[in-house]
Amino acid sequence: MYTLLHGFYKYIIQKDEYCVLILGLDNAGKTTYLEATKTKFTKKYKAMNPNRITTTVGLNIGKIDVNGVRLNFWDLGGQQELQSLWDKYYAECHAVIYIVDSSDRDRVSESKETFDRMISSEHLAGVPLLVLANKQDIPDCMGVHTVKPIFNQNAHLIGARDIMLMATSALTGDGVDEGIRWLVDCIKRNSVDRPPRNHDDNL
Amino acid sequence: MSKIKKFSGSFRYTQWDPCLIIFQIVAMQSVMYLSLSLLVAIMQDLTGSTRTLDHLFEYHELHIVDNEGRAVILAFVFNAVIGAFALWMIVGRTKLCLDFSCTYHGLHLIACWYYNGSFPTTFSWWTLNIACGAIMCVAGEFLCLRTELQAIPLSNIGAKVDL
């Protein structure tokens, strides 16, 4: 009887779980963005001091509940050598957040190449994409209007999937909220093609 | 059902399965009342008392002043041991023995409540049922644990091995 009721309770409160990849070149602010997201959507979460965030080796994981769904973030390391690991995660993710360092004009073309390589993967077909022009708190950064044309060039690669480019500052938390809410709506719309991953409930 | 699974070499589906649990509860209740009725009937024949449903549900039938009451108590205790085997056959999970044992006794409480029209307040009824529940649970856990701790045979099991 307890198992029956407990299982029923679990069944009632269970949320759809989706996985979101956070990608981008190294030093784009992926981990800082993840921290900002966790701070925004988790009550009583104390953010890590941004000065102490260093190069990600492997991956960072974050979990938030928003609009009745649970998002699992996989923040992967962006170093050149670690980029070869990205495609191992493509098949299981439900959305991708791609972060661009909009203060680094020298590497924006490299970022664009990496972005094209990522979206041309067949495992990511139809997955909603959120491109973030990060570091908007730096005075002489590129605005959305500069970054957008660069990433919009290959429309044939983007295809029919949902894509949005937004200006954010992971450090101050600007634009984090809107981005995540947009992404959740897209993921829900796309859940017919990519159904949520739900945990098995072990007795 | 668990036997089929045992031979196919895969663990039982561990997700929440309300149908399975409900039918296990129904099966436990039926088996327990059937065996209790048979035991009480045998005891009644041995003590030469009349066969009546009161012996199963009536609070005041549980006493140690004469052989009739003692026989009924003995039947309940034996039934708890049979219940342990029923748990082993029907449930087969160590972790669920306490749950199913409490469920059986809880439903028995409701049945008694309905039969007598009043909540049980006699010391003998509560003592007997708690003791029987404990026996059933512990013995059932012991039996299920023995099965669960058996080595998994790796030879001639076919391709369907799930380690």
Side-chain angles (χ1 to χ4, degrees):
Chain A
M1 193 71 89
Y2 168 76
T3 320
L4 189 67
L5 298 177
H6 180 74
F8 182 67
Y9 173 71
K10 276 280 175 69
Y11 178 78
I12 292 294
I13 63 157
Q14 81 168 350
K15 286 179 175 174
D16 289 343
E17 275 196 33
Y18 297 99
C19 302
V20 180
L21 279 182
I22 303 180
L23 304 176
L25 290 188
D26 50 295
N27 201 33
K30 296 181 292 300
T31 307
T32 316
Y33 180 78
L34 178 63
E35 286 298 313
T37 313
K38 284 203 270 186
T39 317
K40 276 261 155 80
F41 290 97
T42 320
K43 276 176 200 144
K44 289 185 201 158
Y45 180 79
K46 223 170 163 301
M48 214 158 88
N49 183 356
N51 295 325
R52 300 188 61 182
I53 293 175
T54 173
T55 316
T56 301
V57 180
L59 81 165
N60 298 314
I61 287 177
K63 216 178 245 189
I64 61 164
D65 292 332
V66 53
N67 289 2
V69 298
R70 169 162 288 183
L71 295 185
N72 284 314
F73 289 103
W74 292 328
D75 160 32
L76 306 183
Q79 309 267 310
Q80 191 75 55
E81 303 81 44
L82 296 173
Q83 286 174 14
S84 57
L85 297 172
W86 288 2
D87 55 342
K88 312 288 186 293
Y89 295 84
Y90 288 169
E92 279 184 62
C93 73
H94 296 89
V96 175
I97 299 176
Y98 190 84
I99 300 190
V100 184
D101 180 355
S102 43
S103 71
D104 194 349
R105 287 162 206 272
D106 304 335
R107 292 187 70 195
V108 78
S109 59
E110 186 193 339
S111 180
K112 159 87 173 85
E113 278 163 30
T114 314
F115 178 73
D116 284 346
R117 219 176 310 131
M118 175 194 82
I119 59 172
S120 54
S121 164
E122 56 179 306
H123 296 299
L124 281 182
V127 163
L129 288 172
L130 177 63
V131 183
L132 297 174
N134 194 23
K135 306 202 184 177
Q136 293 293 320
D137 50 299
I138 293 175
D140 65 335
C141 68
M142 296 177 283
V144 184
H145 300 295
T146 326
V147 180
K148 198 165 192 166
I150 304 173
F151 284 88
N152 258 351
Q153 282 161 15
N154 285 329
H156 65 282
L157 284 179
I158 293 166
R161 65 187 118 193
D162 287 314
I163 183 161
M164 170 86 124
L165 198 140
M166 270 189 182
T168 48
S169 168
L171 213 53
T172 59
D174 293 333
V176 172
D177 199 78
E178 298 91 312
I180 296 295
R181 287 190 194 283
W182 177 84
L183 203 62
V184 168
D185 289 342
C186 291
I187 291 172
K188 280 182 182 168
R189 227 180 300 139
N190 197 37
S191 64
V192 185
D193 295 327
R194 294 222 170 197
R197 180 193 78 154
N198 281 335
H199 271 295
D200 290 346
D201 200 13
N202 286 322
L203 291 176
Chain B
M1 188 207 145
S2 58
K3 263 197 178 142
I4 303 162
K5 292 271 181 179
K6 216 188 309 177
F7 288 125
S8 70
S10 56
F11 289 123
R12 198 168 76 184
Y13 194 54
T14 49
Q15 257 181 339
W16 180 62
D17 188 349
C19 270
L20 177 69
I21 298 173
I22 289 167
F23 284 120
Q24 279 174 335
I25 291 173
V26 172
M28 279 301 295
Q29 213 70 18
S30 315
V31 168
M32 290 298 282
Y33 277 136
L34 180 69
S35 64
L36 184 63
S37 312
L38 289 174
L39 282 168
V40 169
I42 291 166
M43 291 297 179
Q44 282 161 346
D45 287 351
L46 288 177
T47 54
S49 56
T50 49
R51 287 189 178 176
T52 162
L53 208 56
D54 283 1
H55 284 134
L56 263 62
F57 297 112
E58 182 70 49
Y59 307 140
H60 304 288
E61 294 293 343
L62 300 171
H63 50 72
I64 47 168
V65 291
D66 62 9
N67 279 335
E68 197 184 314
R70 276 177 232 155
V72 173
I73 289 173
L74 204 61
F76 270 85
V77 174
F78 276 138
N79 194 50
V81 178
I82 290 173
F85 283 92
L87 280 175
W88 185 36
M89 299 309 291
I90 294 169
V91 182
R93 281 288 168 105
T94 310
K95 274 185 170 182
L96 300 180
C97 281
L98 179 64
D99 185 11
F100 276 91
S101 164
C102 289
T103 305
Y104 163 71
H105 286 90
L107 290 174
H108 182 61
L109 168 68
I110 292 167
C112 289
W113 194 350
Y114 177 75
Y115 187 86
N116 291 274
S118 65
F119 194 76
T121 47
T122 55
F123 176 72
S124 59
W125 190 91
W126 281 103
T127 317
L128 179 66
N129 276 282
I130 290 170
C132 286
I135 293 169
M136 184 172 154
C137 171
V138 173
E141 280 181 354
F142 172 75
L143 290 170
C144 293
L145 203 63
R146 273 169 56 106
T147 311
E148 285 182 354
L149 291 182
Q150 271 174 4
I152 299 170
L154 288 176
S155 57
N156 63 52
I157 202 164
K160 253 192 103 183
V161 65
D162 182 7
L163 290 177

